[in-house]
Amino acid sequence: MRGTQISTDRQIAGLKPAGKAYEIGIAKSRGLCLRIFPTGAKNFEFRYVAANGARRRLALGGYPDLSLSEARSKVAALRVAVVDGADPAAARVAARERARIGETLNELAEAYWRAAAVGLHGGRRRPKRASTIESERQTWKNHIRSSLGERPFTEIKRSDIKVFMRALVTEGGLAAASVASIGGLLHAVFGFAVLEERLDGNPVAGLARPLALTSRERMFDDEALTTLWGAAEAACRPRLAGEKTAGVHARLDRVMGLAIRLLMLTLTRRNEIAGARKVEFDRKAGLWTIPSERAKAKHQHVVPLGPDALEVVDAAWALSPDSPFLFPSPRTPGQPLDAHAITRAFARTCVRKKLATGSPHDIRRSGATTLTGRYGVSRFIISLILGHTPQGGAAVTSVYDRHTYVPEKREALQQWADHLPWPR
């Protein structure tokens, strides 16, 4: 700050901008100064030392919108507040944070989802899929909003979380996996508050899973695989007169039958199958390249296609030659098949064929377990087939791995195709 102080509007009007911003004090008004910027803008500021010893700077307003006399009156009141222990600069920052993140748990959740949409919510620092955010919103609406949502999140204690999580089990009757999903969402939202420095610690830590989770062990045996393949294959045949076309006893439609057959042959995820675009397939090379924006692990996933898989791809291509999607939605032209519809199709087929209820993910587990247990395929190759993120080695190595192990993946998937017990 320059040594000379000023005390009149005329002196302020005579101040000229310099190559960089500078400050000049206001006489007979301790802590009040004027900051002059290279653009010519002039702003009043109040400088003080807070009760904790921190030096603060509080912007008051620009001159001449804020007159000299008004700035002096403001500083006089602020000095009294500082003497009484107030910290007006910190209070202003806190007010901005409250406006940005909110006060209630519901408002915090909304801020969390806004941040998650662009990857600023913490965790892996990657944007969440819109479908994931929508699913979390539904979970929040069904289980959290009415119980905790309107409470100030800074006042929610660990004891409150403990009571809430226990009630999900004792009063809500929810399964361990459902309770863990709700607890995980709560942990993430409160973790965002910690990230944004609105809380010192996460009150949900250690409380998100009050019940032990059962490992997912559902697998289809060879007989069940034969039944599922047969149901998918039958969907591609002409329908018989009087055959059911609705309900759990109806057989699959042709698009769904082909989608399930490709899922079984490639061990890919239902989302990857449902959204498959024709431009991703190189039928001549026998490769399906799933781009990073569609793969769950957020990296490109190269899937070798054997003769059986290529036969399915060709059939699906011919079924909808004008669609950009390999499996277009039968109800919404121009849109891909709904991934949830694949899950429903599996459940409906299991009921119709009197199989224990299973899901598309159980096919992946069945294939991975069979290839490692019966054929000795390494877990590393299995992880690449499943599109998992490699856990070992340098990041650059993992990039090359995804391209140099195509022969090994092709061989393993052919072993799986040869293993599947359907007539050829």
Side-chain angles (χ1 to χ4, degrees):
M1 183 180 292
R2 294 186 177 182
T4 303
Q5 293 190 330
I6 58 176
S7 58
T8 66
D9 287 284
R10 174 177 289 185
Q11 290 174 313
I12 293 176
L15 294 173
K16 303 299 182 184
K20 61 180 181 179
Y22 67 94
E23 297 174 0
I24 190 166
I26 304 299
K28 299 180 181 180
S29 189
R30 184 164 51 88
L32 178 60
C33 64
L34 190 69
R35 191 172 179 84
I36 298 90
F37 295 89
T39 59
K42 301 169 184 176
N43 290 347
F44 286 113
E45 295 181 350
F46 173 45
R47 303 183 68 177
Y48 66 97
V49 178
N52 62 1
R55 295 183 177 276
R56 305 290 197 199
R57 181 195 299 270
L58 181 68
L60 302 178
Y63 181 86
D65 294 334
L66 180 67
S67 68
L68 177 58
S69 61
E70 289 171 334
R72 280 176 164 157
S73 296
K74 277 191 173 186
V75 166
L78 289 169
R79 276 202 305 268
V80 173
V82 169
V83 170
D84 290 338
D87 190 346
R92 180 177 291 181
V93 171
R96 288 200 195 101
E97 284 297 299
R98 286 193 295 272
R100 185 171 65 87
I101 296 180
E103 290 291 336
T104 69
L105 187 58
N106 281 337
E107 291 170 338
L108 175 64
E110 290 295 334
Y112 165 79
W113 287 316
R114 288 195 299 271
V118 293
L120 295 177
H121 59 298
R124 297 180 180 180
R125 299 184 294 277
R126 296 172 178 169
K128 284 198 172 189
R129 296 177 186 271
S131 59
T132 301
I133 293 176
E134 184 57 34
S135 176
E136 289 182 347
R137 285 182 179 277
Q138 193 62 42
T139 297
W140 193 273
K141 177 183 177 181
N142 292 341
H143 302 288
I144 301 173
R145 178 185 295 175
S146 60
S147 299
L148 298 174
E150 293 305 319
R151 296 182 57 180
F153 68 85
T154 56
E155 298 177 8
I156 297 177
K157 308 301 181 186
R158 285 181 61 81
S159 57
D160 301 319
I161 299 297
K162 187 179 294 185
V163 169
F164 170 76
M165 296 302 297
R166 286 179 175 175
L168 293 175
V169 179
T170 59
E171 299 174 19
L174 299 181
S178 298
V179 174
S181 177
I182 296 167
L185 177 56
L186 263 180
H187 187 277
V189 170
F190 274 104
F192 176 67
V194 175
L195 177 69
E196 295 296 306
E197 300 183 357
R198 290 293 304 276
L199 290 175
D200 294 329
N202 192 327
V204 190
L207 302 177
R209 296 183 178 182
L211 296 176
L213 292 176
T214 302
S215 176
R216 294 178 292 181
E217 298 176 348
R218 175 73 171 96
M219 286 180 52
F220 292 111
D221 58 21
D222 289 352
E223 183 178 353
L225 289 170
T226 301
T227 301
L228 288 169
W229 179 267
E233 194 172 42
C236 301
R237 302 173 191 151
R239 292 189 179 275
L240 301 176
E243 186 175 0
K244 285 182 176 290
T245 58
V248 296
H249 297 291
R251 70 169 175 167
L252 308 171
D253 62 34
R254 295 183 68 186
V255 171
M256 184 61 72
L258 290 168
I260 288 178
R261 289 168 69 185
L262 188 62
L263 182 148
M264 294 180 71
L265 286 165
T266 59
L267 301 179
T268 44
R269 298 177 176 89
R270 63 171 191 172
N271 289 343
E272 295 166 343
I273 288 287
R277 290 179 171 271
K278 290 177 179 176
V279 295
E280 298 170 1
F281 292 86
D282 184 341
R283 290 187 285 177
K284 185 176 180 180
L287 291 175
W288 173 19
T289 303
I290 303 172
S292 57
E293 60 267 22
R294 286 212 316 109
K296 182 177 180 181
K298 299 295 185 183
H299 63 66
Q300 188 183 77
H301 180 28
V302 180
V303 182
L305 301 173
D308 299 286
L310 283 170
E311 182 181 331
V312 173
V313 170
D314 289 342
W317 203 296
L319 192 62
S320 304
D322 298 326
S323 174
F325 300 102
L326 188 65
F327 303 111
S329 169
R331 296 182 178 179
T332 310
Q335 294 296 318
L337 186 66
D338 182 6
H340 296 289
I342 300 179
T343 300
R344 293 193 293 269
F346 263 83
R348 191 170 68 246
T349 302
C350 287
V351 171
R352 182 161 63 94
K353 298 296 184 179
K354 296 181 172 55
L355 300 175
T357 302
S359 70
H361 194 80
D362 297 331
I363 295 292
R364 286 163 57 82
R365 187 180 300 109
S366 302
T369 303
T370 298
L371 287 173
T372 54
R374 298 196 200 181
Y375 297 96
V377 178
S378 72
R379 292 186 180 276
F380 175 72
I381 296 299
I382 293 298
S383 71
L384 294 179
I385 289 174
L386 297 178
H388 293 163
T389 302
Q391 298 298 313
V396 66
T397 302
S398 69
V399 172
Y400 284 110
D401 284 343
R402 294 197 285 275
H403 296 278
T404 59
Y405 286 88
V406 167
E408 289 84 351
K409 291 192 291 184
R410 187 183 297 279
E411 180 182 358
L413 283 174
Q414 188 58 54
Q415 287 179 298
W416 169 243
D418 292 340
H419 169 85
L420 289 172
W422 55 75
R424 295 178 182 278

